[in-house]
Amino acid sequence: MKLHIHELIIWPEDVRHEPHVITFDPRKIMVITGWSSRGKSAVTSIIDYVLGAATTTIPIGPIREKASWYGLMIETDVGKMRIAREKPGERAVSNKYWLQQGEEVSQPLPRRPHGTEHADRVKQLFDGLSRLSDLDADPDGSGFGGRASFRDMASFNYLPQHIVANPYTMFFKADTTAHREKLRSVMPLALGIMTNEDLALMHQRKLLLDRLRLVDTELKSRAAGVERWQATAKGTFFQAQELGLLPVEDLPGNLEAIIEVLRDVVKAGGRTAASPGRVSAAVNRLERLRFDERELDRTIAHTKRRLRRLRSLRGSVSDYSDVLAEQQSRVRGVGWFRDAVVAEECILCGSESEAARSSLDELGEAIADLDDLCVGASSTPPVVDREIADAERDLLVAEEKLIFVRNTRLAAEIEVDGEQGQSQTLEKIYRFIGNTEQALRMVKDIEGDGGLNDQRRDLVKQIDRIDGKLEGAESSAREERANRIITSAIQRVIELLGIVGAEGIPSLNQRELNVQFQREGVDHTDSLSEIGSGENWMAYHLAMLFALHTVFLGRKNENPVPSFLIIDQPSQVYFPSDTFRQVEESITGHTTRGEDIRRTQQIFEMISTVCEGLKHLQVIVLEHADRSTWGAVKNVKEAADWRGESGLIPEHWQTQANAL
């Protein structure tokens, strides 16, 4: 995403003053230099605030009190625009924005902007420029996996003073849980490991999974009814024979054949099939069903008795084990006592006697028998448990069979009694056909062409196809490529800085959001906090941010990350602000600080070299070091020098107000 900053604009609270404008050349490495407390670090906060931050760290004091609006002139893929935001109130940020686009940008600055847009509208504008999908990063919408936005990419645009050499935090705002979790979620999107097409596939997969769950629920519900009907399909076949709708013949060998015969009965629409001996066959079948029912009753009664005995045995064994355990606890000290009796004299009375040892030996044999009983008792419950489980399963199967036989027998009795009493009526035949047709339709809804089973198989195929795309070689290749570029770029930056880097291969740990190092022959990685000093930490922060922008800019039009980087005081590991002032004022000799000045200059040389290769990355450095450290470096240009009375808030804004 192209986003270059041309101007930082601060409108005064007092409209008699002109706005304060700081100009940047996006083709140069722009430096704002000055002493502490001049407002350098506030530049980062103001830019982030204007670009839609939900909270602000703009310092309370003159920077807020003397200003009314903060603004930027930026250049994007759709041209230049001016954007300004009203300063924060006492308790909350402002949602008032002023926006100019196209030809309006060439107009003079107003004395004070007025609200023309809402913050939400401005964020939508930038979300569109970032080309990020409006789909949630997590299709389930859980946790921090909401939609990735332009604001989420801010972590890659700022390297503030408190992070630039922090070994535990690599990215802007990643020191808070909410931002850290969201950054983990959007990192694959920023790196191109996950694309907008992947997000669409993930959401399509979620819809398919939801549909699959509905089909499974419906399938389970209907399958229960079908199973109940299929359990009585044989009885339905016999009933059709008794109604004269089928000839008296043997039952087909499988369920599919029975269902096919019943379909033919329904198609026949109630036409009878003449067959002699129909009533006799029905009576004989009824007798067989009654016999089967009696046998199943006996089986169930026998299984119930066996189950009661097994459960009783399980309870007795448990009680017996408790008794044995109590007896064991009573003789627990005998072993120690026997080991203590080693002399020929009794340890109690002092007399010479073997009686004590003999008694202890006899007691030991009894204890050994007790131990054997305990082992046997402890191994018995699992065996009994298996027997109980088997008996419960046998009982369940027998009861299901009994229900089927009993239902079939009841239907047979009705038909036999009806046949003996009076002839079949058309009403009974049509009722039978209607019930059978409804049951067969339910079977078709599940098993037939386009039925639930077919729908389920189709859904599973579609989900598997999407899984193959999401987990395929292309996604792995994108991740491997991004990691390779990051590692190579980090190593290049460390080399340009002349730092003795950490041992091992550096890479990005997306889970920890930090750099890690893999040493050869070591099965774990080292973290940034485990290596070096402040100089190393600063170097790897710079290296990681430039490495990531190498990946981002390599994505060209698909890059969702704004193409600028603001670095606040990278030389602090060599010169805290007060010590550099001492160097400048010659309080501290240059002989002790010469190497630190050279190191600081090397930082700017590295940035210049990297930006020359990246071309489209704008870099702004906020630095207390003066031109002596970067003045001779190629492509480095001063944007402002805030020494003496100069600063982010012009001196005359304050002095004139005080005079009034």
Side-chain angles (χ1 to χ4, degrees):
M1 173 186 178
K2 181 180 182 181
L3 198 163
H4 289 156
I5 301 171
H6 286 260
E7 293 178 354
L8 170 63
I9 311 164
I10 302 178
W11 279 269
E13 186 68 41
D14 187 344
V15 295
R16 293 174 299 174
H17 300 306
E18 293 289 333
H20 185 200
V21 179
I22 304 164
T23 303
F24 301 101
D25 184 350
R27 298 166 298 179
K28 303 289 185 180
I29 300 162
M30 303 301 294
V31 182
I32 297 178
T33 181
W35 299 133
S36 297
S37 304
R38 293 296 188 272
K40 297 190 306 298
S41 295
V43 170
T44 298
S45 301
I46 290 173
I47 292 175
D48 189 48
Y49 179 71
V50 174
L51 292 178
T55 59
T56 183
T57 56
I58 298 174
I60 296 174
I63 295 176
R64 283 204 203 186
E65 294 170 359
K66 304 303 178 184
S68 60
W69 286 68
Y70 307 106
L72 298 171
M73 178 190 281
I74 60 176
E75 183 179 2
T76 69
D77 290 321
V78 296
K80 290 184 178 180
M81 66 176 67
R82 281 189 186 134
I83 179 173
R85 188 177 188 181
E86 188 180 38
K87 72 176 182 180
E90 292 184 2
R91 296 179 178 271
V93 299
S94 173
N95 286 320
K96 288 184 180 179
Y97 269 88
W98 173 72
L99 181 65
Q100 283 187 332
Q101 293 178 277
E103 296 297 327
E104 297 176 337
V105 177
S106 60
Q107 298 175 2
L109 287 172
R111 280 290 182 174
R112 177 174 295 180
H114 59 281
T116 61
E117 305 287 348
H118 190 273
D120 292 340
R121 163 75 177 88
V122 173
K123 291 178 183 179
Q124 289 174 2
L125 172 65
F126 285 119
D127 282 342
L129 293 173
S130 69
R131 298 182 179 88
L132 285 165
S133 172
D134 59 356
L135 296 172
D136 289 346
D138 181 1
D140 293 324
S142 60
F144 298 92
R147 179 200 171 181
S149 71
F150 163 82
R151 285 299 314 161
D152 297 325
M153 303 300 150
S155 295
F156 308 115
N157 296 120
Y158 309 102
L159 194 52
Q161 184 176 344
H162 69 284
I163 290 180
V164 71
N166 186 332
Y168 303 104
T169 303
M170 179 63 64
F171 299 105
F172 177 61
K173 290 189 177 180
D175 48 354
T176 63
T177 300
H179 285 91
R180 184 167 57 250
E181 292 298 327
K182 190 59 185 290
L183 185 55
R184 286 186 181 126
S185 174
V186 303
M187 182 72 79
L189 285 168
L191 292 172
I193 297 171
M194 181 184 296
T195 65
N196 288 345
E197 290 74 17
D198 291 335
L199 274 183
L201 286 173
M202 290 169 61
H203 280 262
Q204 183 182 354
R205 181 180 186 275
K206 172 67 165 52
L207 293 175
L208 292 172
L209 284 173
D210 291 343
R211 175 59 184 160
L212 180 61
R213 279 191 286 269
L214 290 175
V215 169
D216 282 340
T217 301
E218 182 69 13
L219 190 59
K220 183 178 180 180
S221 174
R222 294 201 178 195
V226 170
E227 286 177 3
R228 285 193 296 271
W229 181 81
Q230 288 178 340
T232 61
K234 293 180 182 180
T236 305
F237 178 87
F238 295 141
Q239 190 177 359
Q241 289 181 332
E242 292 157 5
L243 289 170
L245 301 175
L246 284 175
V248 178
E249 58 185 17
D250 293 336
L251 184 73
N254 56 68
L255 182 62
E256 289 75 14
I258 296 175
I259 292 175
E260 192 61 36
V261 170
L262 292 175
R263 284 199 178 101
D264 292 337
V265 170
V266 172
K267 290 178 183 178
R271 289 194 298 271
T272 58
S275 177
R278 179 163 52 86
V279 175
S280 176
V283 172
N284 293 334
R285 186 163 52 250
L286 177 59
E287 289 301 319
R288 287 198 300 272
L289 288 170
R290 287 171 175 168
F291 175 79
D292 291 342
E293 186 177 359
R294 288 193 297 271
E295 288 297 313
L296 285 169
D297 270 329
R298 282 193 289 269
T299 300
I300 290 172
H302 172 73
T303 306
K304 285 181 177 179
R305 288 193 297 273
R306 178 167 171 263
L307 186 58
R308 283 196 299 270
R309 289 195 296 267
L310 287 171
R311 286 174 175 168
S312 176
L313 175 61
R314 181 66 176 82
S316 300
V317 170
S318 179
D319 294 340
Y320 185 50
S321 296
D322 292 340
V323 172
L324 293 176
E326 182 181 357
Q327 291 181 358
Q328 269 192 319
S329 65
R330 293 177 180 177
V331 296
R332 189 169 296 146
V334 173
W336 169 85
F337 188 63
R338 183 172 53 193
D339 293 339
V341 181
V342 295
E344 294 182 355
E345 295 182 352
C346 176
I347 61 173
L348 297 177
C349 63
S351 61
E352 294 184 2
S353 173
E354 290 289 334
R357 292 192 61 83
S358 298
S359 298
L360 287 173
D361 290 340
E362 292 176 1
L363 183 58
E365 293 177 1
I367 292 173
D369 293 339
L370 178 61
D371 290 339
D372 292 339
L373 289 173
C374 288
V375 171
S378 63
S379 61
T380 299
V383 177
V384 176
D385 290 342
R386 284 194 295 272
E387 291 286 338
I388 291 174
D390 291 342
E392 289 175 339
R393 184 177 61 253
D394 293 343
L395 182 61
L396 181 62
V397 171
E399 287 176 341
E400 289 176 348
K401 289 181 179 179
L402 178 62
I403 291 172
F404 167 71
V405 170
R406 183 166 292 164
N407 290 337
T408 307
R409 187 258 303 167
L410 290 173
E413 286 179 344
I414 292 172
E415 295 304 322
V416 169
D417 293 342
E419 189 67 33
Q420 291 173 348
Q422 59 182 2
S423 61
Q424 300 297 325
T425 65
L426 284 175
E427 181 183 354
K428 296 177 73 174
I429 293 175
Y430 290 147
R431 188 184 301 121
F432 170 81
I433 291 175
N435 293 337
T436 305
E437 184 178 18
Q438 180 65 29
L440 291 172
R441 185 180 296 117
M442 189 181 298
V443 173
K444 183 179 179 181
D445 287 343
I446 296 176
E447 302 291 349
D449 294 339
L452 292 174
N453 277 332
D454 280 353
Q455 293 180 40
R456 190 183 191 285
R457 282 189 289 269
D458 184 57
L459 289 169
V460 170
K461 286 180 182 178
Q462 293 184 62
I463 293 170
D464 289 343
R465 186 162 55 249
I466 292 175
D467 288 341
K469 292 180 180 179
L470 293 175
E471 300 171 2
E474 185 177 350
S475 176
S476 299
R478 290 196 297 261
E479 183 170 10
E480 183 180 347
R481 178 180 177 275
N483 290 334
R484 185 172 62 252
I485 292 174
I486 291 171
T487 294
S488 176
I490 289 175
Q491 292 173 325
R492 176 81 195 289
V493 170
I494 296 302
E495 180 183 348
L496 290 172
L497 288 173
I499 302 294
V500 179
E503 184 181 352
I505 304 298
S507 63
L508 170 64
N509 186 325
Q510 293 188 47
R511 178 63 191 166
E512 297 300 326
L513 297 177
N514 212 320
V515 66
Q516 65 181 14
F517 306 91
Q518 182 65 63
R519 288 180 288 159
E520 187 177 356
V522 179
D523 58 359
H524 68 274
T525 57
D526 300 320
S527 64
L528 183 60
S529 61
E530 295 177 291
I531 61 103
S533 59
E535 180 183 54
N536 294 86
W537 300 336
M538 176 275 298
Y540 279 104
H541 275 75
L542 294 176
M544 179 59 76
L545 265 298
F546 281 115
L548 289 173
H549 278 280
T550 302
V551 176
F552 301 152
L553 292 171
R555 299 186 63 195
K556 299 182 180 178
N557 291 335
E558 295 181 351
N559 172 30
V561 181
S563 53
F564 72 87
L565 177 60
I566 300 177
I567 307 170
D568 190 359
Q569 206 162 300
S571 71
Q572 65 177 277
V573 296
Y574 306 122
F575 298 106
S577 56
D578 56 344
T579 61
F580 188 82
R581 188 168 189 169
Q582 292 174 355
V583 170
E584 190 176 68
E585 295 173 354
S586 301
I587 296 175
T588 301
H590 284 275
T591 55
T592 60
R593 290 293 183 179
E595 179 64 16
D596 291 336
I597 292 176
R598 189 188 68 80
R599 288 287 193 185
T600 302
Q601 182 176 355
Q602 208 161 8
I603 293 175
F604 287 95
E605 291 173 348
M606 178 274 294
I607 296 174
S608 176
T609 302
V610 171
C611 288
E612 191 173 4
L614 294 179
K615 297 187 184 302
H616 300 295
L617 178 65
Q618 179 185 15
V619 176
I620 299 173
V621 182
L622 313 173
E623 184 56 77
H624 55 251
D626 67 2
R627 294 181 61 87
S628 64
T629 58
W630 44 262
V633 179
K634 182 181 178 182
N635 291 327
V636 180
K637 182 179 178 180
E638 183 178 275
D641 186 351
W642 294 340
R643 285 176 167 76
E645 303 301 327
S646 300
L648 180 64
I649 301 299
E651 181 66 19
H652 65 276
W653 288 13
Q654 305 180 58
T655 55
Q656 188 173 5
N658 293 335
L660 292 175

